[in-house]
Amino acid sequence: MQNNLFIYNTLSKKKEQFKPLHPPFVGIYVCGPTVYSHAHLGHARPAITFDLLFRYLTHLEYRVRYVRNITDVGHLENETLGEGEDRIEKKARQEHLEPMEVVQKYVNTYHRNMDQLNTLSPSIEPRATGHIIEQIELIKILIKNGYGYESNGSVYFDILKYNEKYKYGKLSGRVLEDLISNTRDTEGKDEKRNPFDFALWKKASPEHAMRWPSPWSDGFPGWHLECSAMSIKYLGEVFDIHGGGMDLQFPHHECEIAQSTAALGKESVRYWMHNNMITINGQKMARSLGNFITLDQLFTGNHPVLEQAYSPMTIRFFILQAHYRSTVDFSNEALQAAEKGFLKLMKGIESLKKIKPSDQSTFDIKGFREKCYAALDDDLNSPVLLSHLFDGVRFINSVLDGSEKIDASGLDALKDLFNTFVFDLLGLKDETTGAADDKLMDELMKIIIDLRQEAKNLKQFEVSDKIRKELNNIGITLKDTKDGVSDWEKNPL
RNA sequence: GGUCGGUUAACCGAGUGGCUAGGUAGCGGUCUGCAAAACCGUUUACGGCGGUUCGAAUCCGCCACCGACCUCCA
């Protein structure tokens, strides 16, 4: 169980070699969605980033437990101020649904979209509402340790107390004194001792539907608490990797660190990984800017900023073509380029089947393998991996052109490498409908191609060109080859 | 205002102190009856100004701009 994987740890701001705490086991916790509306483009990024990590660690023969939560309670509209309505409760009220109906509806679409993007299911997908007891127990510990205090039926985390012994803000580079001095309104307008204290438990107002009994009040848990409680439950007090979007660094992950550290007396997470954000035409994606795109809209093209539909694999390829710690900008131009590049990659792999091995090889298969692994080992550098794979595609095409050669064992190895890296690790898949598997279609095309060949032999090019043009109109491309035998393929949608 | 990250050729997007990233688009060529595909070649790349260095797009400083989160204001 050896690895050469380096990952960028947000905590140290450096690439560090990944050494699991208890090999061969690896524990990963990733912040999942709050299920109060459709999954959007922003959800695709962490899902694909950590899917790649999950696939790679599994490929390295680790036994990976990948936990990704579903937030179905406690995420308020204005989390920092601890004000505003619970997002799910609000949606339920607007749509006249039970909160759990809202949750079910959007969990379902989230799962469907994640399947479309070909992300593997996490090992465990725990929900906050399923772990109320664990959260209450964690609050009790925090109160006992002196870091939680009750106020009018709610319980808050005492940031100042925590900061005396530990350092609040180390993940996001914030200094508590600065945060406080930047806040002018510290008057006792609410139940907190300090405006940066965050809720562990909120007392529910009489009309609030989502409520559970607790020693302090009928209420509901604070947003940050679920991740601490569930990661401890399923991955242990100390675990390997915690992932999520960069936007969650502050305050969410900072609060998680504070809770877990205060409860356990030690650091819980060894490697923090954060994926960067997505922009659309250079702007951040926001409902107010009118460029908020759900995954369903993207896959159907049903949105004003979209010139066409983009397939799930086009999106996956596009996201993988950028490094996960860079922002990635969505535009029609960029997506169309990605679509073509992705098809080129798929066609190249398909072409592998046509290669006839020679008795010699002009390809350095060992060097190729090493470069591919080195790319992933370098903080999951998928764009560099893809650039190597495209070099491989050019080689494949050159073999078919006769300018390069590969022997039988090299060919097997090359096929194996493409399978491993493209399908198993990058998680891409061929989306073209299986034209070659359709017997009847094959027979029909053979007849048409034969007839066209006869026309060509008689130099009746108007006829042969017409056949080719008409076929192209219904989505079939004919390709004439040197030896006179025409090939055909279905056009991608 | 605070913290962090970024500014690379037509577009997207990697990267290293000196060696062609890659994809898409354009241009020229090979092949072809013509196409398509493929292959080969190609287009003022590294925000600005200083500094370190034999040598910097890559390190340091300053400036400009962009983004994220937070704050403020609405």
Side-chain angles (χ1 to χ4, degrees):
Chain A
M1 201 75 43
Q2 202 94 32
N3 82 65
N4 212 12
L5 172 63
F6 282 71
I7 57 183
Y8 182 87
N9 191 342
T10 313
L11 207 48
S12 66
K13 298 186 174 36
K14 283 195 291 250
K15 286 181 195 171
E16 299 174 3
Q17 181 157 23
F18 175 63
K19 292 185 176 146
L21 186 60
H22 300 298
F25 301 99
V26 172
I28 305 176
Y29 187 94
V30 174
C31 289
T34 301
V35 282
Y36 70 105
S37 78
H38 288 101
H40 55 74
L41 207 37
H43 290 117
R45 191 96 194 263
I48 290 169
T49 298
F50 294 105
D51 186 56
L52 174 60
L53 178 68
F54 182 35
R55 286 167 180 269
Y56 190 44
L57 288 169
T58 304
H59 172 78
L60 294 174
E61 300 189 324
Y62 287 105
R63 291 188 53 187
V64 186
R65 182 175 294 160
Y66 173 26
V67 179
R68 185 179 66 202
N69 68 298
I70 297 281
T71 297
D72 57 359
V73 67
H75 196 170
L76 307 184
E77 294 218 290
N78 191 332
E79 191 59 41
T80 313
L81 297 178
E83 292 168 356
E85 208 169 347
D86 183 297
R87 295 176 191 216
I88 286 159
E89 174 110 2
K90 180 179 177 185
K91 188 79 172 184
R93 184 171 51 72
Q94 288 169 341
E95 299 195 353
H96 302 287
L97 296 170
E98 271 292 318
M100 278 303 123
E101 283 184 284
V102 172
V103 167
Q104 189 67 54
K105 178 175 171 185
Y106 294 114
V107 164
N108 289 348
T109 64
Y110 179 76
H111 282 157
R112 181 166 47 74
N113 288 153
M114 291 306 117
D115 282 347
Q116 287 172 303
L117 289 170
N118 205 28
T119 62
L120 301 174
S121 284
S123 321
I124 303 176
E125 197 169 48
R127 296 190 188 184
T129 55
H131 298 76
I132 301 290
I133 291 170
E134 287 83 350
Q135 295 181 74
I136 289 173
E137 290 306 308
L138 191 57
I139 296 170
K140 287 181 186 167
I141 293 171
L142 287 168
I143 292 174
K144 195 180 95 211
N145 290 359
Y147 294 104
Y149 60 90
E150 185 186 347
S151 175
N152 193 27
S154 293
V155 182
Y156 295 95
F157 187 89
D158 192 336
I159 288 280
L160 285 177
K161 178 76 189 301
Y162 175 80
N163 202 51
E164 286 171 14
K165 184 166 177 189
Y166 307 100
K167 194 164 162 254
Y168 179 76
K170 61 193 220 170
L171 182 72
S172 56
R174 280 163 174 76
V175 177
L176 187 58
E177 287 74 18
D178 295 347
L179 288 172
I180 291 170
S181 66
N182 280 337
T183 313
R184 58 179 68 133
D185 187 12
T186 49
E187 69 194 69
K189 68 170 182 183
D190 64 9
E191 304 157 342
K192 298 179 189 176
R193 291 178 186 166
N194 184 290
F196 289 96
D197 290 354
F198 55 89
L200 299 169
W201 188 264
K202 290 281 276 186
K203 180 182 178 179
S205 58
E207 67 277 11
H208 198 92
M210 302 180 83
R211 58 201 304 144
W212 291 263
S214 81
W216 313 283
S217 64
D218 271 14
F220 57 95
W223 174 41
H224 311 302
L225 192 61
E226 58 176 283
C227 292
S228 296
M230 299 191 296
S231 63
I232 290 169
K233 179 173 174 109
Y234 296 115
L235 297 173
E237 293 187 350
V238 180
F239 62 97
D240 295 304
I241 298 171
H242 192 311
M246 249 180 194
D247 53 335
L248 296 175
Q249 265 179 46
F250 187 89
H252 184 55
H253 291 160
E254 212 66 78
C255 294
E256 263 188 73
I257 290 174
Q259 281 164 353
S260 298
T261 307
L264 305 170
K266 61 189 170 193
E267 285 278 322
S268 191
V269 176
R270 303 177 64 239
Y271 300 86
W272 281 94
M273 292 177 75
H274 291 94
N275 62 276
N276 213 318
M277 311 310 282
I278 275 169
T279 58
I280 293 176
N281 297 317
Q283 281 186 310
K284 79 164 181 174
M285 187 173 82
R287 285 195 167 83
S288 58
L289 294 171
N291 63 0
F292 192 90
I293 304 177
T294 68
L295 289 170
D296 282 338
Q297 288 170 332
L298 200 60
F299 298 158
T300 59
N302 182 26
H303 190 284
V305 309
L306 299 175
E307 288 169 7
Q308 61 170 84
Y310 299 99
S311 76
M313 282 307 107
T314 298
I315 301 306
R316 184 166 180 122
F317 177 86
F318 182 62
I319 286 176
L320 289 168
Q321 232 185 356
H323 188 259
Y324 76 91
R325 283 191 289 115
S326 302
T327 54
V328 63
D329 186 45
F330 275 65
S331 64
N332 283 290
E333 203 181 2
L335 283 167
Q336 284 157 15
E339 182 177 60
K340 287 180 186 162
F342 171 64
L343 290 171
K344 180 176 181 172
L345 180 63
M346 288 301 117
K347 264 161 84 174
I349 293 170
E350 191 64 25
S351 299
L352 267 170
K353 294 177 186 162
K354 297 183 203 155
I355 290 182
K356 296 192 176 64
S358 342
D359 42 10
Q360 46 183 322
S361 180
T362 56
F363 191 67
D364 176 12
I365 195 86
K366 184 163 172 282
F368 182 72
R369 178 190 290 112
E370 282 166 4
K371 278 195 286 188
C372 289
Y373 277 107
L376 284 183
D377 281 337
D378 184 15
D379 196 28
L380 299 179
N381 200 326
S382 53
V384 165
L385 172 57
L386 281 168
S387 81
H388 296 324
L389 292 169
F390 275 109
D391 288 341
V393 167
R394 192 187 316 117
F395 172 78
I396 291 166
N397 289 326
S398 296
V399 172
L400 291 171
D401 262 24
S403 57
E404 303 276 2
K405 293 181 195 323
I406 190 161
D407 57 29
S409 68
L411 182 59
D412 284 345
L414 192 59
K415 283 178 181 171
D416 185 55
L417 285 176
F418 267 93
N419 264 321
T420 300
F421 282 99
V422 176
F423 301 120
D424 296 349
L425 294 177
L426 292 178
L428 297 167
K429 62 180 181 187
D430 199 340
E431 291 175 314
T432 50
T433 45
D437 300 336
D438 190 333
K439 277 252 166 63
L440 180 62
M441 185 79 169
D442 269 350
E443 298 294 320
L444 280 170
M445 285 308 301
K446 195 165 180 304
I447 293 168
I448 293 170
I449 288 171
D450 280 351
L451 287 171
R452 177 163 173 272
Q453 190 58 46
E454 282 175 28
K456 278 172 70 179
N457 292 343
L458 296 170
K459 303 245 188 278
Q460 295 173 343
F461 294 122
E462 322 80 62
V463 177
S464 67
D465 286 354
K466 186 180 178 195
I467 292 171
R468 183 170 63 195
K469 186 165 179 293
E470 301 271 311
L471 283 174
N472 194 46
N473 287 345
I474 60 168
I476 290 171
T477 302
L478 283 185
K479 294 187 290 187
D480 296 347
T481 54
K482 258 181 262 186
D483 51 16
V485 183
S486 297
D487 200 3
W488 67 278
E489 66 183 21
K490 270 193 193 174
N491 296 340
L493 289 180

